[in-house]
Amino acid sequence: MKKIAVIGAGVAGLASAIRLQHEGYEVEIYEKEAIPGGKMHQIKKDGYTFDLGPSIVMMPQIYREVFELAGRNPDDYIPMKRLDPMYTAFFGTEDKDKFDVSSDLVKLMESLEGISDEDAKGFLSYLQDIYSRFIVAKDHFLQRPFRNALDFYNPFMIKQALKLKTFDSANHSIGKFVKDKRLQQMLSFQTLYIGVSPVNGPSLYTIIPMIELLYGVWFIEGGMYTMAKSMERLFLELGGKVHYNSPVEKILIKDKQAYGISLHDKEVIADYVVCNADFPYAIKNLVQDTAAKGKYTDKKVDSMKYSCSCFIMYLGMDRKYEGVDQLHNFVFAEDLDKNLEDIFAGKLLDNPSYYLYMGSKMDQSMAPEGKDGLYLLVPVSDLSIADYEWTEETIQHYRSEVLNSLKQLKGFENVENEIVSESYMTPIDFKEKFNAYNGACFGLRPNLLQSNHFRPQAKAKNCENLYFAGSSTHPGAGVPIVLMSAKIATEELILDDRGVKA
């Protein structure tokens, strides 16, 4: 039985390990933290439970697939409930500035027609346009590797790539269909889910709101961390092993072939290595063999473009908040475009837009009885471009800006005095805790020159028996897409192991 060492128990690491263990390999995971999940982590404090990072469940079938392939019923591991409305968007403090966004087309059309018939018509045209592009992306790009240049540079693939219309920005593309600024923003801000700005991010990423609208948004009982724990549970049931508090220091390579990993106190010999550590960190720090790095020199890694980062507040409150109905809420600043420009220009934000998530609205076990926990996320600059330092003063600046804005919402007028527990995550924390390069939560920015065949691939280009999975590899960031990266990595490994020519 061939042995595989998996570096990291993040989403892609766990999913890769499950797939390979199920295929009959002997798989062991080595994780630097004490619990599984990577950025799909969990914070427990003072009786409150918070998902640390990812919180929005989209494309549930991809979550379910990893359990189904092992012959399990996903409902026994990740019980889900569909949300309707999916979220509330706040553009001000008046009732007229609040929009509940439903994936029920009848309800959604009523809301859109309340804005204007012309924009409702334009929205349907947007759906038709982006759905046709989504099918092309799904069938020809997202679910396949680009091992060789000719996998992309051939007449058929070039023709498919042109259908994606990637040269337009998300904002500009949406503006062709709808004219109301608020509706434009509701159909483009989701590019921030993968760390890119709708102002200059490829228009293809407007598939994200389309996926929400056509396939819904879901909640996993217990929060997103249930997915991580359930993948760990399945992996152990299949006979796999996980070593926690076991940071990997080096990938062992000889003659451009990986043969194991090195920890601080031992070497682990393996037939194959699957690396779920963030690719830029891994290629710079864990792959120490110069020839095996290939084009990804330290200089190259430093020059690449990175996604935005996040500042997140986890607040335990001494009451429940009935004034806000939904689990997911997005509060937009009056000048969202300036917000976005400043994030990617490295500026400290005043009056930022932010995301409010209250898991305890769906699952009371995530907070003490009769109380809520507030998860407040502000997209901010990654460390490589930020023109300010993350100090206590910076934290207090963002804390004050967010709470002052939150006070304007119904029911939150006294929010600052209702906090009984408080924790934070900053870009520095993401860098130090999860080896997120430059603190970029979503890895490499998915711009045109860092997507598809340009993005780091699952199979190492200059080293045999080494494979990568995670948000900085193809096809990209976001939990469903990262789960796809695990599928691609394991399929590549199995093809090589069986001697099948790609």
Side-chain angles (χ1 to χ4, degrees):
M1 186 183 294
K2 292 185 177 178
K3 295 184 177 181
I4 299 177
V6 175
I7 302 172
V11 173
L14 288 165
S16 297
I18 289 168
R19 289 177 176 276
L20 292 166
Q21 187 72 26
H22 176 66
E23 286 289 330
Y25 296 94
E26 184 181 334
V27 186
E28 298 190 24
I29 301 174
Y30 295 83
E31 166 59 45
K32 70 185 286 288
E33 293 296 309
I35 61 175
K39 289 186 285 290
M40 190 185 279
H41 220 258
Q42 187 180 64
I43 292 175
K44 281 183 172 289
K45 185 178 179 183
D46 302 325
Y48 298 86
T49 300
F50 299 95
D51 286 316
L52 182 143
S55 59
I56 299 175
V57 179
M58 298 164 52
M59 304 177 79
Q61 187 53 45
I62 296 178
Y63 287 69
R64 295 172 62 87
E65 182 183 296
V66 74
F67 299 95
E68 291 170 340
L69 72 87
R72 304 303 205 271
N73 182 351
D75 294 335
D76 295 335
Y77 292 80
I78 50 168
M80 292 189 191
K81 182 175 181 180
R82 186 168 184 161
L83 303 178
D84 188 51
M86 300 183 295
Y87 60 85
T88 299
F90 294 89
F91 291 92
T93 59
E94 305 296 324
D95 286 344
K96 63 181 177 60
D97 301 319
K98 171 183 164 184
F99 295 88
D100 288 331
V101 181
S102 175
S103 59
D104 180 310
L105 187 60
V106 174
K107 294 178 183 176
L108 182 62
M109 289 305 293
E110 288 176 355
S111 297
L112 295 176
E113 288 167 352
I115 296 173
S116 80
D117 289 344
E118 194 63 29
D119 278 333
K121 175 185 171 184
F123 167 78
L124 293 174
S125 298
Y126 148 76
L127 273 187
Q128 180 183 28
D129 175 79
I130 196 61
Y131 185 76
S132 64
R133 294 159 69 190
F134 168 67
I135 294 300
V136 173
K138 179 169 69 75
D139 290 348
H140 303 296
F141 294 91
L142 292 177
Q143 302 185 84
R144 58 157 299 173
F146 293 95
R147 183 179 285 210
N148 306 302
L150 288 178
D151 290 339
F152 182 85
Y153 292 107
N154 63 71
F156 176 80
M157 288 301 293
I158 295 296
K159 182 179 179 181
Q160 302 311 311
L162 291 173
K163 293 178 183 177
L164 296 178
K165 304 181 221 175
T166 52
F167 295 101
D168 202 359
S169 71
N171 268 5
H172 187 261
S173 175
I174 291 293
K176 295 176 182 177
F177 299 102
V178 298
K179 303 308 175 187
D180 185 90
K181 187 67 174 177
R182 297 164 301 175
L183 183 53
Q184 289 178 10
Q185 291 172 346
M186 283 192 284
L187 292 173
S188 65
F189 80 89
Q190 292 91 340
T191 63
L192 290 168
Y193 292 1
I194 55 173
V196 66
S197 170
V199 175
N200 51 32
S203 64
L204 177 62
Y205 296 129
T206 56
I207 64 173
I208 300 173
M210 181 219 77
I211 289 168
E212 289 182 335
L213 292 163
L214 296 187
Y215 303 105
V217 167
W218 300 70
F219 177 76
I220 300 176
E221 186 177 310
M224 188 71 89
Y225 184 65
T226 298
M227 177 66 177
K229 282 297 293 181
S230 295
M231 285 196 291
E232 178 204 41
R233 171 186 155 196
L234 175 57
F235 177 59
L236 296 174
E237 289 172 354
L238 293 172
K241 295 181 181 178
V242 187
H243 304 272
Y244 291 112
N245 301 306
S246 300
V248 173
E249 295 182 348
K250 181 181 180 181
I251 297 172
L252 300 174
I253 297 171
K254 184 177 181 181
D255 299 328
K256 298 181 75 172
Q257 182 167 307
Y259 65 91
I261 58 175
S262 176
L263 286 72
H264 77 282
D265 59 347
K266 65 178 180 179
E267 291 186 348
V268 177
I269 306 304
D271 296 289
Y272 298 98
V273 176
V274 177
C275 182
N276 181 216
D278 190 34
F279 180 86
Y281 168 85
I283 202 73
K284 191 170 183 178
N285 297 280
L286 303 184
V287 178
Q288 297 172 12
D289 182 287
T290 302
K293 290 177 183 287
K295 70 177 182 180
Y296 291 108
T297 62
D298 290 358
K299 183 177 180 180
K300 168 75 172 176
V301 170
D302 288 340
S303 69
M304 296 173 84
K305 302 297 183 184
Y306 290 85
S307 73
C308 67
S309 189
C310 299
F311 170 66
I312 310 177
M313 301 165 59
Y314 311 92
L315 306 181
M317 313 304 292
D318 70 357
R319 54 162 289 197
K320 292 197 76 68
Y321 293 87
E322 307 299 345
V324 169
D325 299 321
Q326 307 310 324
L327 181 75
H328 302 297
N329 303 274
F330 297 90
V331 182
F332 294 102
E334 186 175 348
D335 193 345
L336 177 61
D337 288 345
K338 184 176 189 307
N339 254 196
L340 295 167
E341 181 182 325
D342 287 349
I343 290 169
F344 292 92
K347 296 181 181 179
L348 187 71
L349 307 180
D350 293 315
N351 189 29
S353 301
Y354 57 93
Y355 161 57
L356 166 63
Y357 164 53
M358 290 187 280
S360 50
K361 275 197 171 291
M362 289 293 294
D363 188 338
Q364 187 54 60
S365 71
M366 298 180 74
E369 186 66 32
K371 299 181 181 180
D372 273 327
L374 310 183
Y375 166 119
L376 292 149
L377 181 151
V378 182
V380 296
S381 309
D382 78 88
L383 297 172
S384 69
I385 64 169
D387 62 7
Y388 55 91
E389 299 292 326
W390 275 93
T391 62
E392 183 61 32
E393 184 179 356
T394 308
I395 291 172
Q396 292 305 315
H397 169 81
Y398 279 113
R399 180 186 187 276
S400 176
E401 290 288 325
V402 171
L403 293 181
N404 284 339
S405 170
L406 192 56
K407 289 176 189 175
Q408 308 306 311
L409 299 185
K410 182 180 178 181
F412 289 91
E413 294 84 358
N414 197 37
V415 64
E416 198 161 4
N417 297 319
E418 295 163 350
I419 300 169
V420 294
S421 179
E422 197 162 351
S423 304
Y424 310 103
M425 282 290 291
T426 71
I428 291 175
D429 295 319
F430 281 105
K431 177 182 178 181
E432 294 179 350
K433 193 173 185 68
F434 303 112
N435 290 330
Y437 205 74
N438 291 325
C441 304
F442 311 95
L444 290 171
R445 193 183 305 178
N447 57 26
L448 290 179
L449 295 180
Q450 293 183 169
S451 297
N452 294 320
H453 63 300
F454 291 119
R455 201 168 183 85
Q457 297 296 306
K459 178 178 170 59
K461 295 285 189 184
N462 297 277
C463 182
E464 294 300 316
N465 302 345
L466 175 60
Y467 303 83
F468 295 94
S471 59
S472 286
T473 62
H474 173 70
V479 175
I481 306 303
V482 164
L483 288 167
M484 287 183 192
S485 83
K487 183 177 182 180
I488 291 171
T490 54
E491 288 176 349
E492 288 280 78
L493 187 156
I494 292 167
L495 285 174
D496 287 341
D497 187 44
R498 294 176 180 171
V500 178
K501 296 294 183 182

